[in-house]
Amino acid sequence: DFDRASTDLRFSVAVAAFGQKLRDEDATATFGYDKIMEIATAARGADPFGYRSEFLSLVRLASALGGNR
């Protein structure tokens, strides 16, 4: 069950999905930036250096530039 996975693992999935989305891979064709944002936000966890917050900012920027394709 994905929801029972660790926050680090779930956040990693969001990062991987974002990379595939930017490359316009078929695997993420039905996976929008909103879903990536949802997963990353729910799995943010501890963020002492702000890297995860910065990632969320990048997803928001990509979504604004490329729409939710």
Side-chain angles (χ1 to χ4, degrees):
D1 186 22
F2 184 72
D3 293 330
R4 294 178 60 194
S6 70
T7 55
D8 288 341
L9 182 62
R10 288 183 288 132
F11 195 84
S12 297
V13 168
V15 172
F18 182 61
Q20 289 184 341
K21 187 74 176 163
L22 290 176
R23 291 175 53 105
D24 203 22
E25 296 285 334
D26 289 340
T28 57
T30 61
F31 208 77
Y33 290 116
D34 56 340
K35 184 64 175 174
I36 294 168
M37 192 70 153
E38 178 185 323
I39 292 169
T41 301
R44 180 188 259 171
D47 189 19
F49 301 106
Y51 297 136
R52 293 181 181 206
S53 295
E54 183 64 25
F55 173 74
L56 293 170
S57 295
L58 290 173
V59 175
R60 277 191 291 276
L61 179 60
S63 178
L65 292 174
N68 199 18
R69 49 184 173 126

